[in-house]
Amino acid sequence: MSDRAYTQTFSALAKLRIPAAAKEPAIVIPAVILGILALIAILAPWLGTIDPALLDPTQRNKLPGFVGQITLADGAKAPFTFHMGTDNLGRDIYSRVVYGARISLVIGAMVAIVATALGLAIGMVAGYVRWSDGLIMRFMDGLMAIPPILLAIALVSLSRAGLTAVIVAIAIPEIPRVVRLVRSIVLSIREEPYVEAAVTAGTPTPVLLFRHVLPNCIAPLIVQATFVAASAILVESILSFLGVGIPPEVPSWGNIMSAGRQYFRIFPHNMLYPGVCIAVTVLCVNVLGDALRDRLDPKLRKRV
Amino acid sequence: MFGYILRRLVSTIPVMFIVALIVFLMLRLTPSDPAAIIAGDNANAQQVEMIRQQLGLDKPLLVQLWVWLSSLLHGNLGESFFFKKSVTSLIADRIEPTLALAAFTLVIAVAIAVPLGIFAAMRRGSLLDRIVMGFSVMGFSVPAFVIGYALIYVFAIKLQWLPVQGYSRIANGFEPWLRSLILPSLTLAVIYVALLARMTRTSLLEVLGEDYIRTAYSRGLTPLQVLVRHALPNAAVPIITVVGLGVALLIGGVVVTESVFAIPGIGRLTVDAVLARDYPTIQAIILLFSFVYVMINLIIDVSYTLLDPRIRY
């Protein structure tokens, strides 16, 4: 990175004013909760969990706090408290919920990265290469005319369900909005005197895009990426809940709720814990996104 | 005016063409063999080959596109693999519950969200404003199925005021029909209310800062008169726009809500079709919902002329 590009990137990040942000509750509280969730996801095996896929037909549908026993790897039995009860296959809900944080956070982060990276690339091309603009934007209009969840469902139905397929299926419907955002920034920046000067000086287009256009996109993209992450976590839980997402034996919060549906009337706890986890996680990401938007880009405030 | 409507109608043709193209390419450009996936894991090579022929996947791509588009233009949405009948009749059988649910939700959502947004804007910074905005963020964050099961638990299981699940056709009496729709509509309305209340507040706040509002107050009008005569008509366009854009959320929500409440509508059909890998049905549903979405937004665009005399075409 050249010095100038570095300075511009730095100034975009400097708008975050990290020391000041560290005093704002709307940023600190969700950031801390998400940090704890990330720790829980990483440390899952050491948090008193057992194998989340471990079946035990003799201990099905137990209420939270049930004291039963588990079979250890060497065949010995050991007493075990099921803090959140067991599901209809005798799996420990607590372990499944803790491991479920991994899926949700990975999906949220990966979809945000994939969708913003692809949207940034496509948006820069559409904004800068004039002849491609009409073509790309009409295609994006078509993509946006398909309701996002429907598009994601159709896309997963065409591949063998797995983490990568789900990430791709959720990311594709998110791309058009990122493209539109990037394109509008590019269109306004290419009229700036310093860009015109760079063009006159003979700067090649790729260098121009990287050095002058990209740094201006960073702040709005950070905001957009948080909203993409929130929506991705929601859509993943919906896909899993409908039984079309990640394979059912994988502990994701949507899958736990999906498994709990059948016995919901008698054992509502199967749905309560993962449901609360999804709501809290998405809420934190959304609140964080709102606060970042207000901080980085007051103009965006008016948009919904 | 008429010319404008016609122009807008024509402008939806390329969008719908691209939607059709995307739906077409989705099946053809998947990295894995779609025929093998649709046939399922237990199919033998012969069955896979049969499905490939049924879908026309053995022909050149452009021929396939031509066949698919021309049959669409004839109103032929194809034959369902799973239900063994035409997709058109399949959808026709299931349209009533979905339409009832969507219409009911729209009415509930507008009736709740617009007043909430107005109160929040009029009392900016008050406790009520903060509650409305807090609810709005919550509404975006809690998935519809979590809300649905929470409502079922409280109102159907604990209080036993309303049926747990299922749909009662309007032909079987008005009251059971209404009762079967209340919880699903409330579930579906939450995200819509969140979106609309927020937009109503934002757009009203913007209008309330204008000079003519100050002038209206200085003429001695009461806040209610200012609101009804000057603020609301000017804030209406963005609110109505969001009503239209929110239909995308509504359609996604219908799929989830019908699944939670066991309502035999198009949303439920979508999930059944995906689980059965019934691709002709999935394609038809995407086309139908996208068409509805595009048309609703077209109608809303055209309605701006009625709401705002400054907009002329």
Side-chain angles (χ1 to χ4, degrees):
Chain A
M1 210 187 268
S2 76
D3 279 356
R4 197 161 36 159
Y6 177 78
T7 324
Q8 282 183 354
T9 312
F10 184 74
S11 73
L13 288 175
K15 278 193 208 158
L16 277 168
R17 290 195 301 271
I18 290 166
K23 292 195 185 90
E24 198 174 311
I27 290 181
V28 176
I29 296 172
V32 167
I33 297 176
L34 288 173
I36 294 172
L37 267 171
L39 271 181
I40 289 176
I42 295 166
L43 300 175
W46 297 281
L47 292 174
T49 55
I50 53 173
D51 178 3
L54 186 71
L55 305 174
D56 187 347
T58 60
Q59 300 182 127
R60 279 178 304 185
N61 290 321
K62 295 297 178 196
L63 291 173
F66 168 76
V67 182
Q69 54 181 9
I70 48 168
T71 311
L72 298 173
D74 56 8
K77 304 265 185 197
F80 186 77
T81 311
F82 295 90
H83 298 291
M84 296 184 183
T86 61
D87 68 5
N88 59 330
L89 296 173
R91 293 174 294 199
D92 178 31
I93 306 251
Y94 168 72
S95 303
R96 291 181 73 73
V97 168
V98 168
Y99 275 93
R102 290 183 167 188
I103 303 285
S104 283
L105 295 180
V106 165
I107 296 257
M110 284 310 293
V111 170
I113 291 169
V114 171
T116 37
L118 286 177
L120 176 68
I122 300 172
M124 287 212 292
V125 172
Y128 215 88
V129 186
R130 296 310 305 172
W131 61 265
S132 71
D133 188 29
L135 205 68
I136 292 177
M137 292 323 285
R138 290 301 78 72
F139 189 77
M140 292 298 144
D141 286 348
L143 265 186
M144 282 179 89
I146 305 174
I149 293 181
L150 219 53
L151 184 55
I153 289 178
L155 287 169
V156 276
S157 74
L158 271 176
S159 43
R160 297 188 196 283
L163 197 60
T164 321
V166 171
I167 289 171
V168 172
I170 300 175
I172 289 178
E174 301 284 353
I175 292 175
R177 260 163 287 264
V178 183
V179 171
R180 280 196 165 188
L181 177 72
V182 173
R183 174 178 172 272
S184 69
I185 298 169
V186 174
L187 286 183
S188 64
I189 285 170
R190 54 181 291 155
E191 307 301 329
E192 295 279 333
Y194 66 87
V195 175
E196 282 177 8
V199 174
T200 320
T203 316
T205 308
V207 177
L208 192 81
L209 286 175
F210 264 92
R211 206 178 274 173
H212 300 295
V213 178
L214 187 63
N216 284 289
C217 295
I218 289 177
L221 274 183
I222 291 176
V223 175
Q224 188 67 24
T226 43
F227 291 124
V228 170
S231 127
I233 296 172
L234 266 188
V235 174
E236 185 278 321
S237 75
I238 288 171
L239 293 181
S240 294
F241 175 77
L242 294 174
V244 299
I246 292 176
E249 67 277 7
V250 178
S252 92
W253 290 334
N255 276 340
I256 305 171
M257 293 194 68
S258 185
R261 285 171 85 171
Q262 212 181 339
Y263 300 97
F264 170 67
R265 287 181 194 217
I266 324 162
F267 306 106
H269 62 272
N270 284 1
M271 316 216 39
L272 175 72
Y273 299 113
V276 169
C277 287
I278 299 170
V280 169
T281 311
V282 182
L283 187 67
C284 285
V285 182
N286 271 330
V287 171
L288 189 65
D290 276 345
L292 284 177
R293 177 189 54 192
D294 292 349
R295 179 161 282 273
L296 289 171
D297 200 347
K299 268 180 290 177
L300 273 174
R301 233 176 177 161
K302 288 176 186 166
R303 296 189 205 158
V304 174
Chain B
M1 179 70 196
F2 182 74
Y4 170 70
I5 296 176
L6 201 71
R7 264 206 315 282
R8 282 305 315 268
L9 261 177
V10 172
S11 77
T12 60
I13 294 174
V15 174
M16 285 315 297
F17 170 76
I18 288 165
V19 171
L21 195 67
I22 291 170
V23 170
F24 170 84
L25 288 177
M26 235 183 330
L27 183 65
R28 273 83 184 175
L29 295 185
T30 43
S32 43
D33 179 8
I37 287 178
I38 290 166
D41 292 333
N42 301 324
N44 56 35
Q46 221 175 349
Q47 285 166 317
V48 173
E49 196 50 45
M50 210 176 75
I51 285 175
R52 187 167 297 142
Q53 276 172 18
Q54 254 178 332
L55 286 169
L57 292 174
D58 47 348
K59 300 189 187 77
L61 205 63
L62 278 176
V63 176
Q64 290 181 40
L65 180 64
W66 174 249
V67 171
W68 149 254
L69 284 178
S70 63
S71 65
L72 274 185
L73 289 176
H74 285 99
N76 177 11
L77 292 173
E79 195 79 13
S80 158
F81 288 159
F82 183 70
F83 299 95
K84 309 282 182 218
K85 58 201 265 195
S86 90
V87 175
T88 323
S89 71
L90 205 58
I91 288 175
D93 286 347
R94 301 184 176 227
I95 203 137
E96 185 207 303
T98 305
L99 268 182
L101 178 61
F104 213 68
T105 305
L106 207 61
V107 173
I108 293 183
V110 173
I112 296 175
V114 174
L116 275 184
I118 292 174
F119 283 129
M122 298 292 277
R123 299 268 176 276
R124 184 184 191 176
S126 68
L127 182 66
L128 183 81
D129 183 23
R130 277 186 222 158
I131 292 173
V132 170
M133 290 310 283
F135 169 82
S136 166
V137 184
M138 288 280 283
F140 282 121
S141 309
V142 186
F145 57 91
V146 176
I147 298 167
Y149 276 102
L151 287 176
I152 291 179
Y153 187 72
V154 176
F155 293 103
I157 295 177
K158 285 289 153 193
L159 297 171
Q160 306 203 328
W161 288 351
L162 293 160
V164 175
Q165 278 173 327
Y167 173 74
S168 165
R169 287 190 181 266
I170 194 164
N172 302 335
F174 183 72
E175 209 208 306
W177 174 75
L178 198 65
R179 284 166 59 88
S180 73
L181 276 180
I182 292 176
L183 289 184
S185 304
L186 280 177
T187 305
L188 193 50
V190 169
I191 192 166
Y192 215 33
V193 169
L195 180 71
L196 267 181
R198 189 181 262 230
M199 196 62 216
T200 307
R201 176 183 179 274
T202 314
S203 116
L204 204 58
L205 276 180
E206 212 165 295
V207 171
L208 287 175
E210 298 281 343
D211 288 346
Y212 58 79
I213 296 291
R214 200 190 48 203
T215 312
Y217 273 118
S218 65
R219 274 170 57 208
L221 297 187
T222 63
L224 189 69
Q225 284 171 316
V226 173
L227 181 73
V228 174
R229 242 187 259 169
H230 298 279
L232 276 185
N234 283 297
V237 168
I239 299 174
I240 306 277
T241 309
V242 169
V243 171
L245 294 176
V247 169
L249 290 177
L250 198 63
I251 291 169
V254 159
V255 178
V256 180
T257 310
E258 288 189 353
S259 182
V260 170
F261 288 93
I263 295 172
I266 299 178
R268 186 67 211 242
L269 178 66
T270 313
V271 179
D272 289 346
V274 168
L275 291 175
R277 302 205 184 279
D278 183 357
Y279 217 72
T281 311
I282 301 174
Q283 286 181 318
I285 290 172
I286 295 180
L287 282 176
L288 177 79
F289 274 141
S290 306
F291 182 71
V292 170
Y293 180 49
V294 169
M295 281 301 141
I296 287 177
N297 282 290
L298 171 74
I299 293 167
I300 282 172
D301 271 8
V302 172
S303 74
Y304 290 161
T305 45
L306 305 175
L307 290 165
D308 190 341
R310 282 171 305 185
I311 301 177
R312 287 255 170 269
Y313 301 105

